[in-house]
Amino acid sequence: MQDAVVFMTANHQDSERGGDELAVQNWWMGMASRQAGNGILRVSLMFSLEPATLGKDGYRQIFQSGETVDDRPLIDRQHPHDFLMQASVVWSAPIGSNYILTLAGAPVGEATLGPVAFMHRASAANNPTAPLSHHTLDSTHIAMGVIAAGLERGRWRVEGSLFHGGEPDEQRWDLMDPGPLDSWAVRGWFRPSREWSFQVSHGFLTQPEAHEIGDVRRTTASASWFKRRKNGWTAATAAYGRNNKIGGDFNALVGEATHAFGPYTLYGRLESLQVESDLLRFGRHGFIAGAKDGHVPDTGEGRDVVTMLTLGGARTILRPRSWDVAAGADLAVYGVPNALKPFYGERPLSFHVYLRVRPPVRAGAEMRMMESTMTQR
């Protein structure tokens, strides 16, 4: 099976921190499986040409932060994905009374932390941008040196992983960034029906950001709903994430939905998250100077809440040889805290106009590939 997408996007980000550009976001994922003993052996590969189509600093996205460029924290931009996003081998087999055991290994893979990553969520399928809360929820969808295991019975599943906690470096074309397996994560799933999926996870990340001292404890919870209909489908996700790190807790709430009917799609995303004000204002982590023995008292200072609402739609305009070509657009409005208004303005507006291309996908495979994690397809 395969799934892929290319967004060719005219991107306008408002305020003096924004600007205009043409951005091309993209990825491809393929999966092959076969019988192995009494189980199934599955190999997955995922690639992106964003290091070429977006460059080393990615695409403009005001209020975004995470990872580095030119050995400095990257702000007001979403970083490009690595060329190699995933290379994994997964084996699943029944054991005992109605249990399924899963074992997985990947030089580049996905930790068992957070909801389904944004590019695989049906609720975000037509949104060309990452959530602002990406580094509070699902940034470990690209992790180095992942070893994972899971145990499933009926509606319940528990899984855990060991992995290297550092974020990918700026060398986007190299195949991996080796390092010790110094981080861990555990995640539980409950699927009461075909439509509903719930997850709770917690992980310990050793020094994930190159320019931010200290480790991070991340906790997430999410609920997802997907309903297929004769002429389309509807999907929704609500998620909460928290990073406990130097300076205290940074929380994020996300709600997103997509409604597809015939050739048309409507989508939206609402986010409210705590951001590190000094990082967005001055390009540096303000907590570091006050850190003593890797600890800063949680006074509540240095954190502000940013809210973002995105509404958009798309329409399929061509289907040559079962390829899906759609035109779309969206508009984003923001709630800006007082500390950041001198830098972003009182009421910034951003928008995208794009052409989206998806290759032919075997019947039933698109949703299986989309609503998936490395250990579950």
Side-chain angles (χ1 to χ4, degrees):
M1 294 189 293
Q2 71 163 349
D3 191 24
V5 70
V6 177
F7 286 99
M8 291 168 279
T9 309
N11 178 17
H12 170 76
Q13 297 290 296
D14 208 357
S15 83
E16 294 181 1
R17 291 292 190 89
D20 300 298
E21 66 183 358
L22 178 65
V24 182
Q25 305 100 310
N26 59 86
W27 55 263
W28 174 89
M29 186 172 191
M31 185 186 78
S33 61
R34 60 165 295 168
Q35 194 77 24
N38 66 335
I40 298 293
L41 185 68
R42 186 175 70 249
V43 177
S44 298
L45 289 172
M46 191 170 184
F47 298 100
S48 175
L49 292 178
E50 289 181 354
T53 62
L54 295 178
K56 63 182 180 179
D57 57 353
Y59 58 85
R60 295 181 185 274
Q61 190 178 33
I62 56 174
F63 300 107
Q64 183 64 275
S65 64
E67 301 197 12
T68 63
V69 64
D70 294 331
D71 203 33
R72 301 179 63 183
L74 182 62
I75 58 173
D76 295 317
R77 303 189 74 93
Q78 169 61 24
H79 62 79
H81 286 116
D82 280 20
F83 168 66
L84 179 60
M85 296 178 66
Q86 186 177 131
S88 64
V89 178
V90 181
W91 180 72
S92 297
I95 60 170
S97 176
N98 299 318
Y99 287 93
I100 297 175
L101 173 67
T102 299
L103 301 175
V108 181
E110 182 178 359
T112 56
L113 180 59
V116 172
F118 72 90
M119 74 284 300
H120 297 311
R121 292 199 296 263
S123 57
N126 284 276
N127 191 328
T129 62
L132 293 179
S133 52
H134 175 47
H135 286 264
T136 314
L137 286 174
D138 53 7
S139 62
T140 54
H141 76 96
I142 299 181
M144 304 298 157
V146 182
I147 299 173
L151 190 63
E152 180 177 351
R153 187 182 185 192
R155 302 172 181 178
W156 297 89
R157 180 182 178 89
V158 61
E159 52 192 12
S161 59
L162 297 173
F163 56 98
H164 178 57
E167 297 273 9
D169 63 22
E170 299 177 34
Q171 307 305 315
R172 302 294 177 177
W173 289 106
D174 57 9
L175 297 183
M176 64 178 298
D177 307 318
L181 304 186
D182 53 12
S183 302
W184 57 266
V186 292
R187 179 166 60 189
W189 294 93
F190 175 57
R191 293 185 170 91
S193 67
R194 296 182 63 181
E195 290 82 18
W196 284 99
S197 178
F198 300 87
Q199 75 84 28
V200 176
S201 60
H202 180 76
F204 179 85
L205 309 178
T206 300
Q207 187 92 32
E209 296 286 352
H211 282 268
E212 183 177 355
I213 64 172
D215 305 326
V216 174
R217 286 191 174 272
R218 179 173 298 168
T219 303
T220 80
S222 65
S224 299
W225 178 77
F226 177 85
K227 181 70 174 180
R228 189 183 295 278
R229 300 181 313 280
K230 184 176 181 180
N231 69 332
W233 50 269
T234 305
T237 299
Y240 164 77
R242 183 186 70 201
N243 281 340
N244 176 263
K245 57 182 184 177
I246 285 182
D249 292 338
F250 288 76
N251 299 279
L253 287 169
V254 181
E256 60 187 22
T258 295
H259 178 58
F261 52 105
Y264 300 97
T265 302
L266 299 175
Y267 62 90
R269 177 185 288 153
L270 176 63
E271 296 187 75
S272 183
L273 69 155
Q274 290 176 301
V275 297
E276 189 176 336
S277 307
D278 282 349
L279 179 61
L280 290 176
R281 289 186 296 185
F282 311 125
R284 59 178 176 82
H285 295 282
F287 296 117
I288 292 178
K292 183 178 180 180
D293 299 325
H295 176 72
V296 172
D298 186 1
T299 64
E301 297 180 359
R303 280 169 288 173
D304 287 288
V305 175
V306 171
T307 303
M308 177 183 180
L309 173 64
T310 302
L311 296 174
R315 186 189 190 282
T316 295
I317 55 176
L318 293 171
R319 291 193 63 86
R321 297 182 179 272
S322 297
W323 286 69
D324 183 8
V325 181
D330 61 37
L331 176 70
V333 297
Y334 306 85
V336 184
N338 290 332
L340 297 178
K341 286 181 179 178
F343 300 85
Y344 296 94
E346 297 239 353
R347 287 178 291 275
L349 296 172
S350 299
F351 64 82
H352 304 93
V353 178
Y354 63 81
L355 194 69
R356 177 192 44 77
V357 180
R358 289 187 184 274
V361 178
R362 194 177 73 195
E366 181 178 2
M367 286 303 114
R368 182 177 172 188
M369 295 285 283
M370 189 174 293
E371 284 289 318
S372 66
T373 66
M374 186 185 80
T375 54
Q376 301 181 78
R377 303 288 184 212

